[in-house]
Amino acid sequence: MTRQEDGWTLVAGGAGFIGSHLCRTLLEAGERVLCLDNLQTARLSNLDALSEYPGFRFVRGDISQALPVAITRETGAIARIYNLACAASPVLYQADPEHTMLTNVVGTDRLLRLAEQAGARFLQASTSEVYGDPDVHPQPEAYRGNVSCTGPRACYDEGKRAAETLAFDFARGRRADVRVARIFNTYGPHMRMDDGRVVSNFICQILAGEPLTIYGAGSQTRSFCYVEDTVDALIRLMRAEMRELVPVNIGNPHEITIAELVETLGAIAARSVRVTHRDLPVDDPERRRPDIARARALLGWEPATPLSAGLRQTFAWFAAERRALAGVPPVVRVTAAG
Amino acid sequence: MTRQEDGWTLVAGGAGFIGSHLCRTLLEAGERVLCLDNLQTARLSNLDALSEYPGFRFVRGDISQALPVAITRETGAIARIYNLACAASPVLYQADPEHTMLTNVVGTDRLLRLAEQAGARFLQASTSEVYGDPDVHPQPEAYRGNVSCTGPRACYDEGKRAAETLAFDFARGRRADVRVARIFNTYGPHMRMDDGRVVSNFICQILAGEPLTIYGAGSQTRSFCYVEDTVDALIRLMRAEMRELVPVNIGNPHEITIAELVETLGAIAARSVRVTHRDLPVDDPERRRPDIARARALLGWEPATPLSAGLRQTFAWFAAERRALAGVPPVVRVTAAG
């Protein structure tokens, strides 16, 4: 394997939520970025600010199909591949479960083969969903998970597990230099309004003056990592020299209940919010919280952004989006100080 | 979905160990059988006795690649598809882990699409390996398993889990009428001599006059089902009317230790056998035993062949194979009565 430090960085899924922040941060750091996305769930507007960089190129393509020539003709110049390509929220990845599975397996295989050909380093964006509905808290990387392989979430959970398997097999076979990040709940600007995740759901409901939908009692916990922190970890992981291939949890170990999230958002919105309750979806995990000891040790990383600060940024972005899309004034005022 | 009761039965992996017995039993029952196999780990000699049936046709092809025209041109006449295609023993499926994964995911997807087009009923041969190294005994179908998605066995275990996921998603989407069998340890004639499974290993070592290799202390347990019983269960499952799609364990709940297996084989071979011990391979399950309550209830099935009778058949077949291959007289005599 050769390494071209000055070659292209390919970001598959680069127009998506985390991918677009990753592209921007890499460009700011001086890397040249090939952004590949099928725009299935991502939006070109996420890339608006990036077209000013001369080292940025967008290619539309679906990794479950043959890679576009605009990518493959650069094979010799691709030095790093981040694979963030896959719809990541249940409502979106369940819309076409076969495509979700093939994106993770066929798509990851294709990109691993590209990495092998290019001699590029490869980072697989895996997910805390590989732990399923965990019965161990917090989850260390050695935990094997509690995943239903037959349920409606399996196309994503098992697809991501299978993608890890491929990545590890390419590494064991010395076909590619591989990194695997297990990304836990992440939030921030560029989340979709309609993807059904709790942070975006709540903010959109507050902005629309609607009651917040809580699934179950609201006692289930989540740990939310701000997207800038997640991107920082991914870049550190890609750049780190690793003595052995191990998956690395990337997330915020600060655990809060959904009810506490509602309170924090209410404070940011400076209004009292109403809630309604609905049944928990099938296989929805009751708790999930990363053990990030490995990320601390290997990458010298931990999340730096307090939840209130990250939520305030996110809230402000959604409010601006809403204004831009609807041409309406903001429904609520974002408080200036934390 | 339409159903042509008199159409072809496609058996993918039909030249393999279980597949070849399945083909024969289906032909004996009057079905017309299209046998598809890439001959990666299967042998044409397994099909020797089948060419006399006018309703038998063999097609060489790899389901991880495009399906052969000899299959696709029969699409309108395919009524049932059994997918048994994948190398199933660790030494063989780990030889090309990427191909193992793609066979399970891309191959199963291709055959599910064929079932959708043909209106054929589809049976996925899954495996007890979806339970990994279980911490629940015996394993009911609701158990989610304890599988490492990053280890050397993952290409098979996770591949089979992903194949189940695809099958369930095709069923949920009403794209195909699907059955999923989780097959536990099966033994019998047509096992490969070199596939590293414990029964074939031990018999070959006895026939060669070598000491038997026991991994670990020999206290790990297995439950062995004779291949005729397994095939009976698969055909019942394919023919059963199911009110809901659920995976069904197929195996023998009679649990014995590896040390007990050595004793039984020694008695059949009518000689004392020596043993040597080696370290357990990575992720080798310590115990595995099916809960077959569901198969009993839904299929009216349970294994009928006593271990000693099945082992005697298997031993005799291996002894004959060894004579045929090497042109040498049998090293040991098979006892005539049980």
Side-chain angles (χ1 to χ4, degrees):
Chain A
M1 287 178 287
T2 60
R3 176 101 47 244
Q4 310 96 333
E5 288 302 340
D6 301 322
W8 286 105
T9 300
L10 172 62
V11 181
F17 162 44
I18 298 177
S20 57
H21 289 276
L22 175 62
C23 287
R24 181 180 44 73
T25 307
L26 293 172
L27 289 164
E28 286 169 359
E31 294 192 21
R32 291 195 299 145
V33 173
L34 267 177
C35 172
L36 173 65
D37 206 297
N38 66 356
L39 302 181
Q40 176 200 353
T41 63
R43 290 173 308 183
L44 274 181
S45 61
N46 288 343
L47 307 175
D48 278 349
L50 307 188
S51 51
E52 70 196 51
Y53 288 93
F56 180 73
R57 194 183 295 170
F58 174 77
V59 179
R60 185 167 182 172
D62 187 319
I63 61 167
S64 74
Q65 309 295 324
L67 294 178
V69 174
I71 299 294
T72 55
R73 73 173 172 223
E74 302 292 345
T75 298
I78 294 174
R80 289 160 297 273
I81 301 174
Y82 291 87
N83 180 21
L84 283 75
C86 187
S89 75
V91 64
L92 297 173
Y93 69 62
Q94 288 177 19
D96 186 349
E98 181 192 22
H99 183 256
T100 299
M101 176 61 78
L102 296 180
T103 297
N104 280 311
V105 177
V106 177
T108 301
D109 185 62
R110 245 183 250 294
L111 293 178
L112 281 163
R113 286 179 176 224
L114 181 66
E116 180 180 26
Q117 269 196 285
R121 188 173 282 185
F122 181 93
L123 185 147
Q124 172 65 14
S126 189
T127 167
S128 59
E129 303 285 345
V130 301
Y131 302 123
D133 187 3
D135 38 27
V136 168
H137 297 279
Q139 292 86 51
E141 289 88 349
Y143 174 57
R144 292 183 174 185
N146 180 36
V147 173
S148 163
C149 65
T150 62
R153 298 172 73 104
C155 58
Y156 186 76
D157 303 0
E158 291 294 339
K160 285 288 190 181
R161 287 173 67 97
E164 284 198 16
T165 301
L166 282 166
F168 272 77
D169 280 325
F170 269 72
R172 261 188 293 270
R174 301 188 179 282
R175 300 174 63 182
D177 183 8
V178 166
R179 312 297 156 97
V180 172
R182 291 181 177 161
I183 303 174
F184 284 63
N185 262 351
T186 300
Y187 72 97
H190 297 187
M191 297 181 89
R192 286 171 60 105
M193 294 192 177
D194 62 350
D195 72 356
R197 294 196 218 208
V198 61
V199 169
S200 49
N201 270 4
F202 282 175
I203 292 178
C204 289
Q205 288 173 324
I206 292 174
L207 290 170
E210 295 167 359
L212 309 198
T213 309
I214 294 182
Y215 294 92
S219 58
Q220 69 271 41
T221 64
R222 293 290 186 274
S223 54
F224 298 101
C225 191
Y226 190 57
V227 64
E228 300 285 350
D229 290 331
T230 302
V231 162
D232 178 36
L234 294 177
I235 295 173
R236 284 172 187 249
L237 179 57
M238 176 64 101
R239 292 180 180 169
E241 294 307 320
M242 311 260 290
R243 281 186 307 180
E244 57 167 345
L245 174 56
V246 286
V248 179
N249 286 340
I250 304 295
N252 194 325
H254 178 65
E255 194 174 21
I256 63 166
T257 64
I258 296 299
E260 288 168 328
L261 175 65
V262 169
E263 275 180 51
T264 309
L265 283 171
I268 289 171
R271 59 152 60 184
S272 66
V273 292
R274 290 167 300 142
V275 301
T276 58
H277 290 269
R278 284 207 205 150
D279 289 345
L280 277 175
V282 174
D283 296 339
D284 195 56
E286 184 60 23
R287 288 179 71 191
R288 207 145 48 193
R289 179 185 161 210
D291 177 333
I292 62 166
R294 186 175 284 170
R296 283 195 176 101
L298 291 181
L299 312 179
W301 173 88
E302 62 182 2
T305 311
L307 183 67
S308 58
L311 285 177
R312 190 165 288 108
Q313 292 282 342
T314 309
F315 199 99
W317 181 81
F318 270 102
E321 274 290 288
R322 193 175 153 83
R323 281 196 301 277
L325 287 173
V328 294
V331 176
V332 294
R333 185 176 51 88
V334 178
T335 56
Chain B
M1 288 179 286
T2 60
R3 176 100 47 245
Q4 309 97 333
E5 288 302 341
D6 301 322
W8 286 106
T9 300
L10 172 61
V11 181
F17 162 42
I18 298 177
S20 58
H21 289 276
L22 175 63
C23 287
R24 181 180 45 72
T25 308
L26 292 172
L27 289 164
E28 286 169 357
E31 294 192 21
R32 292 196 297 145
V33 173
L34 268 177
C35 172
L36 173 65
D37 207 297
N38 65 356
L39 302 180
Q40 176 199 353
T41 64
R43 290 172 308 182
L44 274 182
S45 61
N46 288 343
L47 306 176
D48 278 349
L50 306 188
S51 51
E52 69 195 52
Y53 288 92
F56 180 73
R57 195 183 292 170
F58 174 77
V59 179
R60 185 166 182 171
D62 187 319
I63 62 167
S64 75
Q65 309 296 323
L67 293 177
V69 174
I71 299 294
T72 55
R73 72 173 171 221
E74 302 293 346
T75 298
I78 295 175
R80 290 159 296 275
I81 301 174
Y82 291 86
N83 180 21
L84 283 75
C86 187
S89 75
V91 64
L92 297 174
Y93 69 63
Q94 287 176 21
D96 186 349
E98 180 192 23
H99 183 256
T100 299
M101 176 61 79
L102 296 181
T103 297
N104 279 311
V105 177
V106 177
T108 301
D109 185 61
R110 244 182 252 293
L111 292 177
L112 281 163
R113 286 179 176 224
L114 181 65
E116 180 181 26
Q117 269 196 286
R121 190 174 279 183
F122 182 93
L123 186 147
Q124 171 65 15
S126 189
T127 167
S128 60
E129 303 285 344
V130 301
Y131 302 123
D133 188 3
D135 38 27
V136 169
H137 297 278
Q139 292 85 51
E141 289 88 350
Y143 175 56
R144 293 184 175 185
N146 181 35
V147 173
S148 163
C149 65
T150 61
R153 298 172 72 104
C155 58
Y156 186 75
D157 303 0
E158 292 294 340
K160 285 287 189 182
R161 288 174 65 97
E164 285 200 15
T165 302
L166 282 166
F168 271 78
D169 280 325
F170 269 73
R172 260 190 293 270
R174 301 188 178 283
R175 299 174 64 182
D177 182 8
V178 167
R179 312 298 156 95
V180 172
R182 291 180 177 162
I183 302 174
F184 284 65
N185 262 351
T186 299
Y187 72 99
H190 297 186
M191 295 182 89
R192 286 171 61 105
M193 296 194 177
D194 61 350
D195 72 357
R197 293 195 220 210
V198 63
V199 169
S200 49
N201 269 4
F202 282 175
I203 292 178
C204 290
Q205 287 173 325
I206 291 174
L207 289 170
E210 295 167 0
L212 310 197
T213 311
I214 294 182
Y215 294 92
S219 58
Q220 69 270 43
T221 65
R222 293 289 187 274
S223 55
F224 298 101
C225 190
Y226 190 57
V227 64
E228 300 285 350
D229 289 331
T230 302
V231 163
D232 179 36
L234 295 178
I235 295 173
R236 285 172 187 248
L237 179 57
M238 177 64 101
R239 293 181 180 169
E241 294 306 320
M242 310 258 292
R243 281 186 307 180
E244 58 166 344
L245 175 56
V246 286
V248 179
N249 286 341
I250 305 293
N252 194 327
H254 179 64
E255 193 175 22
I256 63 167
T257 65
I258 296 299
E260 288 167 328
L261 175 65
V262 170
E263 276 181 51
T264 308
L265 282 171
I268 288 171
R271 59 152 61 182
S272 65
V273 293
R274 290 167 299 142
V275 301
T276 58
H277 290 268
R278 285 209 203 145
D279 289 344
L280 276 175
V282 174
D283 296 339
D284 195 56
E286 185 59 24
R287 287 180 70 190
R288 207 146 49 191
R289 178 185 162 213
D291 177 332
I292 62 166
R294 186 176 283 172
R296 285 196 175 101
L298 291 180
L299 312 179
W301 173 89
E302 62 182 4
T305 311
L307 182 67
S308 58
L311 285 177
R312 191 165 289 109
Q313 292 283 341
T314 309
F315 198 99
W317 180 83
F318 270 102
E321 274 289 288
R322 193 175 153 84
R323 283 196 302 276
L325 286 174
V328 295
V331 176
V332 294
R333 182 177 53 88
V334 177
T335 55

